Tab-separated table of all heavy atoms in Angstrom:
chain	number	residue	atom	x	y	z
A	1	GLY	N	-36.521	10.065	-16.881
A	1	GLY	CA	-37.144	8.764	-16.692
A	1	GLY	C	-36.198	7.657	-16.257
A	1	GLY	O	-36.618	6.527	-16.079
A	2	SER	N	-34.912	7.949	-16.093
A	2	SER	CA	-33.969	6.908	-15.671
A	2	SER	C	-33.743	6.991	-14.166
A	2	SER	O	-33.979	8.015	-13.548
A	2	SER	CB	-32.645	7.054	-16.414
A	2	SER	OG	-32.005	8.243	-16.018
A	3	ASP	N	-33.270	5.886	-13.599
A	3	ASP	CA	-32.975	5.922	-12.163
A	3	ASP	C	-31.468	6.118	-11.982
A	3	ASP	O	-30.655	5.716	-12.812
A	3	ASP	CB	-33.473	4.652	-11.459
A	3	ASP	CG	-32.708	3.421	-11.868
A	3	ASP	OD1	-33.031	2.849	-12.930
A	3	ASP	OD2	-31.783	3.047	-11.128
A	4	ILE	N	-31.101	6.755	-10.890
A	4	ILE	CA	-29.718	7.154	-10.669
A	4	ILE	C	-28.793	5.957	-10.540
A	4	ILE	O	-27.643	6.006	-10.972
A	4	ILE	CB	-29.609	8.118	-9.459
A	4	ILE	CG1	-28.249	8.817	-9.444
A	4	ILE	CG2	-29.855	7.398	-8.156
A	4	ILE	CD1	-28.036	9.741	-10.591
A	5	ASP	N	-29.263	4.841	-9.989
A	5	ASP	CA	-28.418	3.662	-9.852
A	5	ASP	C	-27.989	3.154	-11.231
A	5	ASP	O	-26.821	2.844	-11.459
A	5	ASP	CB	-29.141	2.561	-9.075
A	5	ASP	CG	-28.222	1.396	-8.779
A	5	ASP	OD1	-27.179	1.618	-8.131
A	5	ASP	OD2	-28.536	0.274	-9.209
A	6	THR	N	-28.909	3.109	-12.160
A	6	THR	CA	-28.586	2.694	-13.523
A	6	THR	C	-27.660	3.701	-14.186
A	6	THR	O	-26.713	3.328	-14.886
A	6	THR	CB	-29.874	2.535	-14.352
A	6	THR	OG1	-30.689	1.533	-13.749
A	6	THR	CG2	-29.575	2.158	-15.800
A	7	GLU	N	-27.900	4.978	-13.945
A	7	GLU	CA	-27.117	6.030	-14.596
A	7	GLU	C	-25.653	6.018	-14.172
A	7	GLU	O	-24.764	6.143	-15.013
A	7	GLU	CB	-27.732	7.404	-14.316
A	7	GLU	CG	-29.014	7.644	-15.066
A	7	GLU	CD	-28.814	7.702	-16.570
A	7	GLU	OE1	-27.943	8.457	-17.054
A	7	GLU	OE2	-29.519	6.980	-17.269
A	8	TRP	N	-25.367	5.891	-12.863
A	8	TRP	CA	-23.955	5.930	-12.464
A	8	TRP	C	-23.230	4.699	-12.978
A	8	TRP	O	-22.073	4.779	-13.367
A	8	TRP	CB	-23.754	6.141	-10.965
A	8	TRP	CG	-23.889	4.949	-10.077
A	8	TRP	CD1	-24.956	4.626	-9.294
A	8	TRP	CD2	-22.918	3.916	-9.834
A	8	TRP	NE1	-24.726	3.458	-8.611
A	8	TRP	CE2	-23.468	3.004	-8.921
A	8	TRP	CE3	-21.639	3.666	-10.318
A	8	TRP	CZ2	-22.796	1.866	-8.466
A	8	TRP	CZ3	-20.963	2.529	-9.860
A	8	TRP	CH2	-21.536	1.656	-8.949
A	9	ARG	N	-23.919	3.559	-13.012
A	9	ARG	CA	-23.291	2.335	-13.534
A	9	ARG	C	-23.024	2.456	-15.039
A	9	ARG	O	-21.994	2.014	-15.546
A	9	ARG	CB	-24.163	1.120	-13.239
A	9	ARG	CG	-24.213	0.785	-11.770
A	9	ARG	CD	-25.259	-0.304	-11.490
A	9	ARG	NE	-25.490	-0.451	-10.083
A	9	ARG	CZ	-24.740	-1.221	-9.278
A	9	ARG	NH1	-23.719	-1.892	-9.758
A	9	ARG	NH2	-25.030	-1.301	-8.002
A	10	ARG	N	-23.947	3.071	-15.746
A	10	ARG	CA	-23.788	3.293	-17.183
A	10	ARG	C	-22.617	4.240	-17.434
A	10	ARG	O	-21.797	4.022	-18.330
A	10	ARG	CB	-25.090	3.864	-17.737
A	10	ARG	CG	-25.228	3.800	-19.221
A	10	ARG	CD	-26.671	4.077	-19.612
A	10	ARG	NE	-26.996	5.475	-19.524
A	10	ARG	CZ	-27.020	6.293	-20.571
A	10	ARG	NH1	-26.773	5.832	-21.779
A	10	ARG	NH2	-27.315	7.554	-20.429
A	11	LEU	N	-22.512	5.275	-16.613
A	11	LEU	CA	-21.408	6.225	-16.709
A	11	LEU	C	-20.080	5.519	-16.468
A	11	LEU	O	-19.105	5.727	-17.195
A	11	LEU	CB	-21.614	7.360	-15.700
A	11	LEU	CG	-20.541	8.430	-15.619
A	11	LEU	CD1	-20.383	9.148	-16.952
A	11	LEU	CD2	-20.881	9.416	-14.511
A	12	TRP	N	-20.034	4.661	-15.467
A	12	TRP	CA	-18.809	3.910	-15.161
A	12	TRP	C	-18.429	2.994	-16.322
A	12	TRP	O	-17.286	2.987	-16.770
A	12	TRP	CB	-19.001	3.120	-13.870
A	12	TRP	CG	-17.866	2.213	-13.525
A	12	TRP	CD1	-16.528	2.490	-13.625
A	12	TRP	CD2	-17.968	0.891	-13.013
A	12	TRP	NE1	-15.798	1.410	-13.207
A	12	TRP	CE2	-16.657	0.411	-12.822
A	12	TRP	CE3	-19.034	0.070	-12.699
A	12	TRP	CZ2	-16.394	-0.852	-12.331
A	12	TRP	CZ3	-18.773	-1.183	-12.198
A	12	TRP	CH2	-17.471	-1.637	-12.014
A	13	GLN	N	-19.389	2.224	-16.809
A	13	GLN	CA	-19.099	1.315	-17.914
A	13	GLN	C	-18.621	2.081	-19.152
A	13	GLN	O	-17.704	1.647	-19.841
A	13	GLN	CB	-20.328	0.470	-18.261
A	13	GLN	CG	-20.669	-0.569	-17.224
A	13	GLN	CD	-19.580	-1.607	-17.039
A	13	GLN	OE1	-18.902	-1.988	-17.975
A	13	GLN	NE2	-19.419	-2.069	-15.811
A	14	HIS	N	-19.236	3.204	-19.413
A	14	HIS	CA	-18.884	4.010	-20.584
A	14	HIS	C	-17.460	4.563	-20.475
A	14	HIS	O	-16.800	4.813	-21.489
A	14	HIS	CB	-19.905	5.147	-20.730
A	14	HIS	CG	-19.795	5.909	-22.004
A	14	HIS	ND1	-20.208	5.399	-23.221
A	14	HIS	CD2	-19.309	7.151	-22.264
A	14	HIS	CE1	-19.991	6.301	-24.165
A	14	HIS	NE2	-19.446	7.366	-23.615
A	15	ASN	N	-16.962	4.763	-19.247
A	15	ASN	CA	-15.646	5.363	-19.002
A	15	ASN	C	-14.689	4.424	-18.289
A	15	ASN	O	-13.715	4.867	-17.688
A	15	ASN	CB	-15.813	6.640	-18.169
A	15	ASN	CG	-16.463	7.737	-18.952
A	15	ASN	OD1	-15.821	8.404	-19.745
A	15	ASN	ND2	-17.756	7.904	-18.742
A	16	ARG	N	-14.945	3.132	-18.361
A	16	ARG	CA	-14.133	2.175	-17.610
A	16	ARG	C	-12.663	2.228	-18.019
A	16	ARG	O	-11.788	1.970	-17.196
A	16	ARG	CB	-14.689	0.776	-17.781
A	16	ARG	CG	-14.200	-0.156	-16.710
A	16	ARG	CD	-15.204	-1.186	-16.418
A	16	ARG	NE	-14.736	-1.983	-15.304
A	16	ARG	CZ	-15.360	-3.006	-14.841
A	16	ARG	NH1	-16.523	-3.354	-15.377
A	16	ARG	NH2	-14.896	-3.688	-13.837
A	17	ASP	N	-12.373	2.586	-19.262
A	17	ASP	CA	-10.979	2.698	-19.687
A	17	ASP	C	-10.259	3.846	-18.972
A	17	ASP	O	-9.047	3.816	-18.810
A	17	ASP	CB	-10.885	2.872	-21.201
A	17	ASP	CG	-11.622	4.086	-21.724
A	17	ASP	OD1	-12.650	4.470	-21.125
A	17	ASP	OD2	-11.187	4.659	-22.739
A	18	VAL	N	-10.994	4.843	-18.500
A	18	VAL	CA	-10.417	5.967	-17.763
A	18	VAL	C	-10.446	5.684	-16.266
A	18	VAL	O	-9.462	5.911	-15.555
A	18	VAL	CB	-11.199	7.278	-18.047
A	18	VAL	CG1	-10.683	8.423	-17.189
A	18	VAL	CG2	-11.131	7.621	-19.519
A	19	ILE	N	-11.571	5.165	-15.773
A	19	ILE	CA	-11.787	4.969	-14.334
A	19	ILE	C	-11.114	3.709	-13.818
A	19	ILE	O	-10.562	3.693	-12.719
A	19	ILE	CB	-13.305	4.925	-14.024
A	19	ILE	CG1	-13.941	6.258	-14.408
A	19	ILE	CG2	-13.551	4.583	-12.563
A	19	ILE	CD1	-15.454	6.233	-14.426
A	20	GLY	N	-11.184	2.634	-14.583
A	20	GLY	CA	-10.646	1.356	-14.128
A	20	GLY	C	-11.719	0.526	-13.453
A	20	GLY	O	-12.916	0.771	-13.623
A	21	ASP	N	-11.289	-0.451	-12.674
A	21	ASP	CA	-12.201	-1.419	-12.073
A	21	ASP	C	-12.897	-0.934	-10.801
A	21	ASP	O	-13.824	-1.580	-10.328
A	21	ASP	CB	-11.462	-2.722	-11.758
A	21	ASP	CG	-11.029	-3.444	-13.018
A	21	ASP	OD1	-11.656	-3.231	-14.083
A	21	ASP	OD2	-10.059	-4.218	-12.940
A	22	ASP	N	-12.446	0.161	-10.217
A	22	ASP	CA	-13.027	0.652	-8.967
A	22	ASP	C	-13.812	1.943	-9.215
A	22	ASP	O	-13.216	3.015	-9.340
A	22	ASP	CB	-11.932	0.897	-7.934
A	22	ASP	CG	-12.475	1.265	-6.564
A	22	ASP	OD1	-13.701	1.515	-6.427
A	22	ASP	OD2	-11.677	1.314	-5.609
A	23	PRO	N	-15.148	1.850	-9.277
A	23	PRO	CA	-15.940	3.050	-9.574
A	23	PRO	C	-15.900	4.095	-8.463
A	23	PRO	O	-16.304	5.239	-8.685
A	23	PRO	CB	-17.355	2.505	-9.767
A	23	PRO	CG	-17.385	1.247	-8.970
A	23	PRO	CD	-15.995	0.673	-9.083
A	24	ASP	N	-15.402	3.729	-7.290
A	24	ASP	CA	-15.291	4.703	-6.204
A	24	ASP	C	-14.014	5.532	-6.307
A	24	ASP	O	-13.830	6.468	-5.537
A	24	ASP	CB	-15.313	3.995	-4.844
A	24	ASP	CG	-16.684	3.419	-4.534
A	24	ASP	OD1	-17.695	4.023	-4.940
A	24	ASP	OD2	-16.744	2.360	-3.884
A	25	LEU	N	-13.141	5.168	-7.236
A	25	LEU	CA	-11.862	5.852	-7.349
A	25	LEU	C	-11.807	6.653	-8.643
A	25	LEU	O	-11.345	6.189	-9.679
A	25	LEU	CB	-10.712	4.837	-7.301
A	25	LEU	CG	-9.303	5.428	-7.317
A	25	LEU	CD1	-9.107	6.364	-6.115
A	25	LEU	CD2	-8.270	4.312	-7.278
A	26	ILE	N	-12.353	7.865	-8.577
A	26	ILE	CA	-12.197	8.803	-9.685
A	26	ILE	C	-11.359	9.957	-9.148
A	26	ILE	O	-11.397	10.272	-7.956
A	26	ILE	CB	-13.544	9.285	-10.271
A	26	ILE	CG1	-14.392	10.025	-9.246
A	26	ILE	CG2	-14.303	8.117	-10.877
A	26	ILE	CD1	-15.639	10.673	-9.837
A	27	LEU	N	-10.586	10.538	-10.022
A	27	LEU	CA	-9.615	11.542	-9.595
A	27	LEU	C	-9.878	12.890	-10.248
A	27	LEU	O	-10.249	12.955	-11.426
A	27	LEU	CB	-8.209	11.069	-9.961
A	27	LEU	CG	-7.803	9.711	-9.387
A	27	LEU	CD1	-6.489	9.255	-9.995
A	27	LEU	CD2	-7.728	9.765	-7.879
A	28	PRO	N	-9.677	13.981	-9.483
A	28	PRO	CA	-9.822	15.305	-10.084
A	28	PRO	C	-8.945	15.420	-11.334
A	28	PRO	O	-7.813	14.943	-11.364
A	28	PRO	CB	-9.349	16.251	-8.980
A	28	PRO	CG	-9.638	15.489	-7.712
A	28	PRO	CD	-9.337	14.050	-8.055
A	29	GLY	N	-9.524	16.012	-12.361
A	29	GLY	CA	-8.814	16.198	-13.611
A	29	GLY	C	-9.115	15.139	-14.657
A	29	GLY	O	-8.845	15.351	-15.836
A	30	GLN	N	-9.664	13.983	-14.240
A	30	GLN	CA	-10.029	12.971	-15.227
A	30	GLN	C	-11.157	13.520	-16.100
A	30	GLN	O	-12.079	14.156	-15.608
A	30	GLN	CB	-10.504	11.677	-14.558
A	30	GLN	CG	-9.395	10.859	-13.952
A	30	GLN	CD	-9.915	9.609	-13.269
A	30	GLN	OE1	-10.933	9.641	-12.575
A	30	GLN	NE2	-9.193	8.510	-13.437
A	31	ARG	N	-11.073	13.253	-17.387
A	31	ARG	CA	-12.108	13.690	-18.330
A	31	ARG	C	-12.991	12.490	-18.634
A	31	ARG	O	-12.543	11.509	-19.207
A	31	ARG	CB	-11.508	14.248	-19.606
A	31	ARG	CG	-12.558	14.775	-20.569
A	31	ARG	CD	-11.943	15.453	-21.769
A	31	ARG	NE	-11.122	16.596	-21.409
A	31	ARG	CZ	-11.594	17.834	-21.198
A	31	ARG	NH1	-12.877	18.073	-21.308
A	31	ARG	NH2	-10.782	18.815	-20.873
A	32	LEU	N	-14.256	12.579	-18.205
A	32	LEU	CA	-15.212	11.508	-18.433
A	32	LEU	C	-16.160	11.896	-19.553
A	32	LEU	O	-16.572	13.050	-19.654
A	32	LEU	CB	-16.019	11.226	-17.161
A	32	LEU	CG	-15.219	10.895	-15.905
A	32	LEU	CD1	-16.158	10.631	-14.740
A	32	LEU	CD2	-14.290	9.722	-16.136
A	33	SER	N	-16.508	10.937	-20.347
A	33	SER	CA	-17.462	11.137	-21.429
A	33	SER	C	-18.847	10.764	-20.898
A	33	SER	O	-19.047	9.665	-20.387
A	33	SER	CB	-17.075	10.240	-22.606
A	33	SER	OG	-18.054	10.292	-23.594
A	34	ILE	N	-19.784	11.693	-21.005
A	34	ILE	CA	-21.161	11.442	-20.563
A	34	ILE	C	-21.909	10.858	-21.753
A	34	ILE	O	-22.074	11.527	-22.770
A	34	ILE	CB	-21.848	12.745	-20.093
A	34	ILE	CG1	-20.994	13.472	-19.060
A	34	ILE	CG2	-23.250	12.450	-19.573
A	34	ILE	CD1	-20.693	12.701	-17.799
A	35	PRO	N	-22.348	9.588	-21.637
A	35	PRO	CA	-23.035	8.976	-22.776
A	35	PRO	C	-24.389	9.624	-23.022
A	35	PRO	O	-25.068	10.050	-22.091
A	35	PRO	CB	-23.189	7.514	-22.371
A	35	PRO	CG	-23.151	7.528	-20.877
A	35	PRO	CD	-22.281	8.689	-20.491
A	36	GLY	N	-24.770	9.694	-24.289
A	36	GLY	CA	-26.094	10.191	-24.638
A	36	GLY	C	-27.153	9.187	-24.206
A	36	GLY	O	-26.839	8.052	-23.851
A	37	PRO	N	-28.403	9.576	-24.230
A	37	PRO	CA	-29.477	8.695	-23.758
A	37	PRO	C	-29.621	7.423	-24.579
A	37	PRO	O	-30.158	6.432	-24.099
A	37	PRO	CB	-30.728	9.560	-23.845
A	37	PRO	CG	-30.380	10.658	-24.789
A	37	PRO	CD	-28.890	10.855	-24.691
A	38	ASP	N	-29.121	7.404	-25.816
A	38	ASP	CA	-29.244	6.218	-26.659
A	38	ASP	C	-28.041	5.300	-26.570
A	38	ASP	O	-28.032	4.244	-27.186
A	38	ASP	CB	-29.464	6.628	-28.112
A	38	ASP	CG	-30.788	7.342	-28.296
A	38	ASP	OD1	-31.724	7.078	-27.511
A	38	ASP	OD2	-30.884	8.178	-29.211
A	39	ALA	N	-27.003	5.693	-25.829
A	39	ALA	CA	-25.815	4.852	-25.693
A	39	ALA	C	-26.082	3.797	-24.633
A	39	ALA	O	-26.523	4.099	-23.535
A	39	ALA	CB	-24.618	5.711	-25.291
A	40	HIS	N	-25.838	2.547	-24.984
A	40	HIS	CA	-26.083	1.439	-24.054
A	40	HIS	C	-24.841	0.579	-23.953
A	40	HIS	O	-24.639	-0.308	-24.771
A	40	HIS	CB	-27.262	0.584	-24.524
A	40	HIS	CG	-28.535	1.348	-24.563
A	40	HIS	ND1	-29.201	1.726	-23.436
A	40	HIS	CD2	-29.253	1.836	-25.602
A	40	HIS	CE1	-30.282	2.405	-23.774
A	40	HIS	NE2	-30.327	2.497	-25.079
A	41	PRO	N	-23.967	0.837	-22.946
A	41	PRO	CA	-22.789	0.000	-22.778
A	41	PRO	C	-23.197	-1.453	-22.507
A	41	PRO	O	-24.345	-1.736	-22.186
A	41	PRO	CB	-22.094	0.586	-21.565
A	41	PRO	CG	-22.596	1.965	-21.457
A	41	PRO	CD	-24.000	1.930	-22.012
A	42	ALA	N	-22.240	-2.339	-22.610
A	42	ALA	CA	-22.481	-3.773	-22.369
A	42	ALA	C	-23.128	-3.999	-21.015
A	42	ALA	O	-23.207	-3.090	-20.188
A	42	ALA	CB	-21.151	-4.510	-22.445
A	43	ASP	N	-23.592	-5.184	-20.794
A	43	ASP	CA	-24.306	-5.531	-19.561
A	43	ASP	C	-23.627	-4.964	-18.325
A	43	ASP	O	-22.405	-4.999	-18.208
A	43	ASP	CB	-24.390	-7.044	-19.401
A	43	ASP	CG	-25.232	-7.683	-20.482
A	43	ASP	OD1	-26.118	-6.997	-21.038
A	43	ASP	OD2	-24.991	-8.862	-20.757
A	44	ILE	N	-24.424	-4.447	-17.430
A	44	ILE	CA	-23.951	-3.936	-16.160
A	44	ILE	C	-24.387	-4.941	-15.103
A	44	ILE	O	-25.563	-5.083	-14.836
A	44	ILE	CB	-24.531	-2.536	-15.881
A	44	ILE	CG1	-24.118	-1.579	-16.985
A	44	ILE	CG2	-24.106	-2.031	-14.528
A	44	ILE	CD1	-24.835	-0.254	-16.958
A	45	GLU	N	-23.412	-5.631	-14.536
A	45	GLU	CA	-23.747	-6.713	-13.602
A	45	GLU	C	-23.308	-6.352	-12.190
A	45	GLU	O	-22.227	-5.820	-11.995
A	45	GLU	CB	-23.047	-7.995	-14.016
A	45	GLU	CG	-23.498	-8.516	-15.349
A	45	GLU	CD	-22.762	-9.790	-15.728
A	45	GLU	OE1	-21.914	-10.238	-14.934
A	45	GLU	OE2	-23.050	-10.320	-16.797
A	46	GLY	N	-24.121	-6.717	-11.223
A	46	GLY	CA	-23.758	-6.667	-9.815
A	46	GLY	C	-23.375	-5.308	-9.301
A	46	GLY	O	-23.276	-4.335	-10.028
């Protein structure tokens, strides 16, 4: 029931400490945590 635009932004916010400020720059080998459906990171803007 979620839309992909919201999901990738939620994934980025949840892993911002690993990914950094540029969501287009993820690197092979980085371990990302996939948030559960009830996890709601802080506001996702712009």
